[in-house]
């Protein structure tokens, strides 16, 4: 899980390949063509800060505003990239324990856990900003807030099953299902 930064916003992202492919939400990057990426290794243990040389530049390769997805590419990714294994929606069930890692309210690399409340195929989702999206969503109690967008929702096998996208209130948090990411 990485920190994604633009001129206006910070969010989260997930490394999908050792070639430097990263998925995040479209609303995190919107019309930006280049974004900054920071890996957890860059964060100093004694304080939350990083240097200019810790920021990798990523180019926006592809966007899908309807599903709220964006695919980024780091030009020169670090050699030791850790990528996340993708899970399968066929193994995702209501009541299943899950956990998330993201950057809520700028609190970097925060961990939260919860339960899958529902799976909502082809669901129209209107976010707090008034934008309309449509995808298969995993509704979860794993807490998300501003800055969590683009973060990872995991099963307890450590597999990515969703990309955090929105919170509509306490206990009403949504992640774009992994099958939408695989089809992107």
């Amino acid at each position: 899980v990485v920190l994604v930064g633009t001129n206006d916003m910070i969010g989260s992202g997930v490394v999908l390949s050792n070639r430097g492919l990263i998925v995040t939400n479209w609303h995190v990057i919107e019309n930006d063509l280049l974004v900054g990426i920071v890996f957890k290794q860059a964060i100093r243990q004694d304080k939350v800060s990083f240097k200019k040389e810790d920021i990798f530049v990523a180019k926006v390769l592809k966007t899908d505003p309807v599903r709220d997805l964006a695919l980024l590419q780091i030009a020169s990714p670090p050699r030791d990239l850790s990528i996340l294994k993708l899970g399968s929606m066929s193994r995702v069930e209501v009541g299943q324990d899950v956990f998330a890692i993201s950057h809520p309210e700028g609190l970097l690399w925060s961990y939260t856990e919860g339960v899958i409340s529902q799976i909502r195929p082809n669901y129209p989702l209107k976010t707090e900003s008034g934008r309309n999206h449509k995808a298969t969503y995993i509704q979860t109690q794993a807490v998300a807030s501003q800055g969590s967008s683009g973060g990872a929702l995991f099963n307890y096998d450590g597999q990515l099953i969703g990309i955090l996208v929105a919170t509509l209130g306490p206990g009403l948090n949504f992640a774009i299902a992994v099958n939408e990411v695989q089809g992107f």
Side-chain angles (χ1 to χ4, degrees):
V1 177
V2 296
L3 177 67
V4 176
T6 69
N7 289 330
D8 302 327
M9 178 177 268
I10 68 159
S12 306
V14 174
V15 178
L16 295 179
S17 85
N18 56 9
R19 294 185 336 258
L21 291 176
I22 295 170
V23 69
T24 189
N25 294 125
W26 168 80
H27 77 264
V28 170
I29 59 106
E30 289 201 26
N31 297 319
D32 290 309
L33 299 177
L34 296 174
V35 298
I37 303 293
V38 177
F39 293 89
K40 188 172 192 288
Q41 298 90 317
I43 303 302
R44 313 301 183 261
Q45 288 188 359
D46 58 334
K47 58 185 172 182
V48 178
S49 66
F50 44 88
K51 300 175 183 172
K52 186 175 180 178
E53 60 266 19
D54 294 329
I55 302 171
F56 289 80
V57 175
K59 177 172 70 170
V60 177
L61 293 181
K62 185 177 181 181
T63 61
D64 184 341
V66 173
R67 288 190 289 177
D68 198 11
L69 289 172
L71 186 64
L72 314 175
Q73 170 89 60
I74 297 175
S76 298
R79 291 185 185 160
D80 59 346
L81 271 183
S82 296
I83 61 172
L84 294 175
K85 293 182 180 175
L86 300 181
S88 169
M89 285 303 291
S90 67
R91 297 187 58 214
V92 174
E93 300 176 351
V94 173
Q96 180 179 351
D97 291 328
V98 293
F99 66 95
I101 298 175
S102 64
H103 312 296
E105 305 296 333
L107 299 169
L108 304 181
W109 283 276
S110 295
Y111 172 95
T112 184
E113 51 187 29
V115 174
I116 293 177
S117 305
Q118 192 53 264
I119 300 165
R120 302 200 179 277
N122 207 27
Y123 186 73
L125 181 67
K126 186 172 186 173
T127 62
E128 291 175 342
S129 65
R131 293 191 176 103
N132 294 307
H133 303 289
K134 192 172 194 178
T136 296
Y137 294 100
I138 299 170
Q139 182 182 330
T140 180
Q141 295 171 338
V143 179
S145 62
Q146 188 172 356
S148 295
S149 295
L153 184 67
F154 295 96
N155 63 23
Y156 270 85
D157 291 329
Q159 298 170 326
L160 180 74
I161 60 168
I163 299 295
L164 298 173
V165 67
T167 183
L168 300 181
L172 289 173
N173 305 292
F174 291 84
I176 301 166
V178 69
N179 61 315
E180 299 279 357
V181 175
Q182 291 166 323
F184 184 57

